[in-house]
CSV table of all heavy atoms in Angstrom, one decimal:
chain,number,residue,atom,x,y,z
L,117,GLN,N,14.8,-2.5,27.8
L,117,GLN,CA,16.1,-1.8,27.7
L,117,GLN,C,16.8,-2.4,26.5
L,117,GLN,O,16.6,-3.5,26.1
L,117,GLN,CB,16.9,-2.1,28.9
L,117,GLN,CG,16.3,-1.6,30.2
L,117,GLN,CD,16.2,-0.1,30.3
L,117,GLN,OE1,17.2,0.6,29.9
L,117,GLN,NE2,15.1,0.4,30.9
L,118,PRO,N,17.7,-1.6,25.9
L,118,PRO,CA,18.5,-2.1,24.8
L,118,PRO,C,19.6,-3.0,25.4
L,118,PRO,O,20.8,-2.7,25.3
L,118,PRO,CB,19.1,-0.9,24.1
L,118,PRO,CG,19.1,0.2,25.2
L,118,PRO,CD,17.9,-0.2,26.1
L,119,ASP,N,19.2,-4.1,25.9
L,119,ASP,CA,20.1,-5.0,26.7
L,119,ASP,C,20.0,-6.4,26.0
L,119,ASP,O,18.9,-6.9,25.9
L,119,ASP,CB,19.6,-5.0,28.1
L,119,ASP,CG,20.5,-5.9,29.0
L,119,ASP,OD1,21.2,-6.8,28.5
L,119,ASP,OD2,20.5,-5.7,30.2
L,120,PRO,N,21.1,-7.1,25.7
L,120,PRO,CA,21.0,-8.4,25.1
L,120,PRO,C,20.2,-9.4,25.9
L,120,PRO,O,19.7,-10.4,25.4
L,120,PRO,CB,22.5,-8.8,25.0
L,120,PRO,CG,23.3,-7.6,25.1
L,120,PRO,CD,22.5,-6.6,25.9
L,121,GLU,N,20.0,-9.1,27.2
L,121,GLU,CA,19.2,-10.0,28.1
L,121,GLU,C,17.8,-10.2,27.5
L,121,GLU,O,17.2,-11.3,27.8
L,121,GLU,CB,19.1,-9.3,29.4
L,121,GLU,CG,20.1,-9.6,30.4
L,121,GLU,CD,20.2,-11.1,30.7
L,121,GLU,OE1,19.1,-11.7,31.2
L,121,GLU,OE2,21.2,-11.8,30.4
L,122,ILE,N,17.3,-9.3,26.7
L,122,ILE,CA,15.9,-9.4,26.2
L,122,ILE,C,15.8,-10.7,25.3
L,122,ILE,O,14.8,-11.3,25.3
L,122,ILE,CB,15.4,-8.2,25.5
L,122,ILE,CG1,16.2,-7.9,24.3
L,122,ILE,CG2,15.3,-7.0,26.5
L,122,ILE,CD1,15.5,-6.8,23.4
L,123,PHE,N,16.9,-11.0,24.6
L,123,PHE,CA,16.8,-12.2,23.8
L,123,PHE,C,16.8,-13.4,24.7
L,123,PHE,O,16.1,-14.4,24.3
L,123,PHE,CB,18.0,-12.3,22.8
L,123,PHE,CG,18.1,-11.1,21.8
L,123,PHE,CD1,19.2,-10.3,21.8
L,123,PHE,CD2,17.0,-10.9,21.0
L,123,PHE,CE1,19.2,-9.2,20.9
L,123,PHE,CE2,17.0,-9.9,20.1
L,123,PHE,CZ,18.1,-9.0,20.0
L,124,VAL,N,17.5,-13.4,25.8
L,124,VAL,CA,17.5,-14.6,26.7
L,124,VAL,C,16.1,-14.7,27.2
L,124,VAL,O,15.6,-15.8,27.3
L,124,VAL,CB,18.5,-14.3,27.8
L,124,VAL,CG1,18.5,-15.6,28.8
L,124,VAL,CG2,19.9,-14.0,27.3
L,125,ARG,N,15.5,-13.6,27.5
L,125,ARG,CA,14.2,-13.7,28.1
L,125,ARG,C,13.1,-14.1,27.1
L,125,ARG,O,12.3,-14.9,27.4
L,125,ARG,CB,13.8,-12.3,28.7
L,125,ARG,CG,12.5,-12.3,29.4
L,125,ARG,CD,12.0,-11.1,30.1
L,125,ARG,NE,13.0,-10.0,30.2
L,125,ARG,CZ,12.6,-8.7,30.2
L,125,ARG,NH1,11.3,-8.4,30.1
L,125,ARG,NH2,13.5,-7.7,30.3
L,126,TYR,N,13.1,-13.5,25.9
L,126,TYR,CA,12.0,-13.7,25.0
L,126,TYR,C,12.2,-14.8,24.0
L,126,TYR,O,11.3,-15.5,23.5
L,126,TYR,CB,11.6,-12.4,24.3
L,126,TYR,CG,11.0,-11.4,25.2
L,126,TYR,CD1,11.6,-10.2,25.4
L,126,TYR,CD2,9.8,-11.7,25.9
L,126,TYR,CE1,11.1,-9.2,26.2
L,126,TYR,CE2,9.3,-10.7,26.7
L,126,TYR,CZ,9.9,-9.5,26.9
L,126,TYR,OH,9.3,-8.6,27.7
L,127,TYR,N,13.5,-15.0,23.6
L,127,TYR,CA,13.8,-16.0,22.5
L,127,TYR,C,15.0,-16.8,22.9
L,127,TYR,O,16.0,-16.8,22.2
L,127,TYR,CB,14.0,-15.3,21.2
L,127,TYR,CG,12.7,-14.6,20.6
L,127,TYR,CD1,12.6,-13.2,20.6
L,127,TYR,CD2,11.6,-15.3,20.2
L,127,TYR,CE1,11.5,-12.5,20.2
L,127,TYR,CE2,10.5,-14.7,19.7
L,127,TYR,CZ,10.4,-13.3,19.7
L,127,TYR,OH,9.3,-12.6,19.2
L,128,PRO,N,14.9,-17.5,24.0
L,128,PRO,CA,16.1,-18.3,24.5
L,128,PRO,C,16.6,-19.3,23.5
L,128,PRO,O,17.8,-19.6,23.5
L,128,PRO,CB,15.6,-18.9,25.8
L,128,PRO,CG,14.1,-18.9,25.7
L,128,PRO,CD,13.7,-17.8,24.9
L,129,GLU,N,15.8,-19.8,22.6
L,129,GLU,CA,16.2,-20.8,21.6
L,129,GLU,C,17.3,-20.2,20.6
L,129,GLU,O,18.0,-20.9,20.0
L,129,GLU,CB,15.0,-21.3,20.8
L,129,GLU,CG,14.2,-20.4,20.0
L,129,GLU,CD,13.2,-19.5,20.8
L,129,GLU,OE1,13.2,-19.6,22.0
L,129,GLU,OE2,12.5,-18.7,20.1
L,130,LEU,N,17.3,-18.9,20.6
L,130,LEU,CA,18.3,-18.2,19.8
L,130,LEU,C,19.7,-18.8,20.0
L,130,LEU,O,20.5,-18.9,19.0
L,130,LEU,CB,18.3,-16.7,20.1
L,130,LEU,CG,19.2,-15.8,19.4
L,130,LEU,CD1,18.8,-15.7,17.9
L,130,LEU,CD2,19.2,-14.4,20.0
L,131,TYR,N,20.0,-19.1,21.3
L,131,TYR,CA,21.4,-19.5,21.6
L,131,TYR,C,21.7,-21.0,21.2
L,131,TYR,O,22.7,-21.5,21.4
L,131,TYR,CB,21.6,-19.3,23.1
L,131,TYR,CG,21.4,-17.8,23.4
L,131,TYR,CD1,20.2,-17.3,23.8
L,131,TYR,CD2,22.4,-16.9,23.2
L,131,TYR,CE1,19.9,-16.0,24.0
L,131,TYR,CE2,22.2,-15.5,23.4
L,131,TYR,CZ,21.0,-15.1,23.8
L,131,TYR,OH,20.8,-13.8,24.0
L,132,ARG,N,20.6,-21.6,20.6
L,132,ARG,CA,20.9,-23.0,20.1
L,132,ARG,C,21.4,-23.0,18.7
L,132,ARG,O,21.6,-24.0,18.1
L,132,ARG,CB,19.6,-23.8,20.2
L,132,ARG,CG,19.0,-23.9,21.6
L,132,ARG,CD,17.6,-24.6,21.5
L,132,ARG,NE,17.7,-25.9,20.8
L,132,ARG,CZ,16.7,-26.5,20.3
L,132,ARG,NH1,15.5,-26.0,20.4
L,132,ARG,NH2,16.8,-27.7,19.7
L,133,CYS,N,21.5,-21.8,18.1
L,133,CYS,CA,22.0,-21.7,16.7
L,133,CYS,C,23.2,-22.5,16.4
L,133,CYS,O,24.2,-22.4,17.1
L,133,CYS,CB,22.3,-20.2,16.3
L,133,CYS,SG,22.9,-20.0,14.6
L,134,LEU,N,23.1,-23.4,15.4
L,134,LEU,CA,24.2,-24.3,15.0
L,134,LEU,C,25.1,-23.7,14.0
L,134,LEU,O,26.1,-24.4,13.5
L,134,LEU,CB,23.6,-25.6,14.5
L,134,LEU,CG,22.5,-26.3,15.3
L,134,LEU,CD1,21.8,-27.3,14.4
L,134,LEU,CD2,23.1,-26.9,16.5
L,135,SER,N,24.8,-22.5,13.5
L,135,SER,CA,25.6,-21.9,12.5
L,135,SER,C,25.6,-22.7,11.2
L,135,SER,O,26.6,-22.9,10.5
L,135,SER,CB,27.1,-21.6,12.9
L,135,SER,OG,27.1,-20.8,14.0
L,136,CYS,N,24.5,-23.4,10.9
L,136,CYS,CA,24.5,-24.3,9.8
L,136,CYS,C,24.2,-23.5,8.5
L,136,CYS,O,24.3,-24.1,7.4
L,136,CYS,CB,23.4,-25.4,10.0
L,136,CYS,SG,21.7,-24.8,10.0
L,137,ASN,N,23.7,-22.3,8.6
L,137,ASN,CA,23.4,-21.4,7.4
L,137,ASN,C,22.2,-21.8,6.6
L,137,ASN,O,22.0,-21.3,5.5
L,137,ASN,CB,24.7,-21.3,6.6
L,137,ASN,CG,24.8,-20.0,5.9
L,137,ASN,OD1,24.4,-19.0,6.5
L,137,ASN,ND2,25.4,-19.9,4.8
L,138,THR,N,21.4,-22.8,7.1
L,138,THR,CA,20.2,-23.2,6.3
L,138,THR,C,19.3,-22.0,6.1
L,138,THR,O,18.7,-21.8,5.0
L,138,THR,CB,19.5,-24.3,7.1
L,138,THR,OG1,20.4,-25.3,7.4
L,138,THR,CG2,18.3,-24.8,6.3
L,139,CYS,N,19.2,-21.1,7.1
L,139,CYS,CA,18.3,-20.0,7.0
L,139,CYS,C,18.7,-19.0,5.9
L,139,CYS,O,17.9,-18.6,5.1
L,139,CYS,CB,18.3,-19.2,8.4
L,139,CYS,SG,19.9,-18.9,9.0
L,140,THR,N,20.0,-18.8,5.8
L,140,THR,CA,20.5,-17.9,4.8
L,140,THR,C,20.2,-18.5,3.4
L,140,THR,O,19.9,-17.8,2.5
L,140,THR,CB,22.0,-17.7,5.0
L,140,THR,OG1,22.2,-17.2,6.3
L,140,THR,CG2,22.6,-16.7,3.9
L,141,LYS,N,20.4,-19.8,3.3
L,141,LYS,CA,20.3,-20.4,2.0
L,141,LYS,C,18.8,-20.4,1.5
L,141,LYS,O,18.6,-20.3,0.3
L,141,LYS,CB,20.7,-21.9,2.0
L,141,LYS,CG,22.3,-22.0,2.0
L,141,LYS,CD,22.7,-23.4,1.8
L,141,LYS,CE,23.6,-23.8,2.9
L,141,LYS,NZ,23.8,-25.2,3.1
L,142,ILE,N,17.8,-20.4,2.4
L,142,ILE,CA,16.4,-20.5,2.0
L,142,ILE,C,15.9,-19.1,1.8
L,142,ILE,O,14.8,-18.9,1.1
L,142,ILE,CB,15.6,-21.3,3.0
L,142,ILE,CG1,14.3,-21.7,2.4
L,142,ILE,CG2,15.3,-20.4,4.2
L,142,ILE,CD1,14.4,-23.0,1.6
L,143,CYS,N,16.5,-18.0,2.3
L,143,CYS,CA,15.9,-16.7,2.3
L,143,CYS,C,15.6,-16.2,0.9
L,143,CYS,O,16.6,-16.0,0.1
L,143,CYS,CB,16.8,-15.7,3.0
L,143,CYS,SG,16.1,-14.0,3.1
L,144,PRO,N,14.4,-15.9,0.6
L,144,PRO,CA,14.0,-15.4,-0.8
L,144,PRO,C,14.5,-14.0,-1.0
L,144,PRO,O,14.6,-13.5,-2.1
L,144,PRO,CB,12.5,-15.5,-0.8
L,144,PRO,CG,12.1,-15.4,0.6
L,144,PRO,CD,13.2,-16.1,1.4
L,145,GLN,N,14.9,-13.3,0.1
L,145,GLN,CA,15.4,-11.9,0.0
L,145,GLN,C,16.9,-11.9,-0.1
L,145,GLN,O,17.5,-10.9,-0.2
L,145,GLN,CB,14.9,-11.1,1.2
L,145,GLN,CG,13.5,-10.8,1.2
L,145,GLN,CD,13.0,-9.7,0.2
L,145,GLN,OE1,12.8,-10.1,-0.9
L,145,GLN,NE2,12.9,-8.5,0.6
Side-chain angles (χ1 to χ4, degrees):
Chain L
Q117 300 290 323
D119 180 338
E121 270 301 300
I122 62 169
F123 296 123
V124 181
R125 186 176 351 150
Y126 292 119
Y127 295 109
E129 64 279 7
L130 182 66
Y131 302 91
R132 299 173 58 200
C133 174
L134 309 166
S135 304
C136 68
N137 215 29
T138 306
C139 49
T140 302
K141 282 189 238 165
I142 200 83
C143 179
Q145 293 285 81

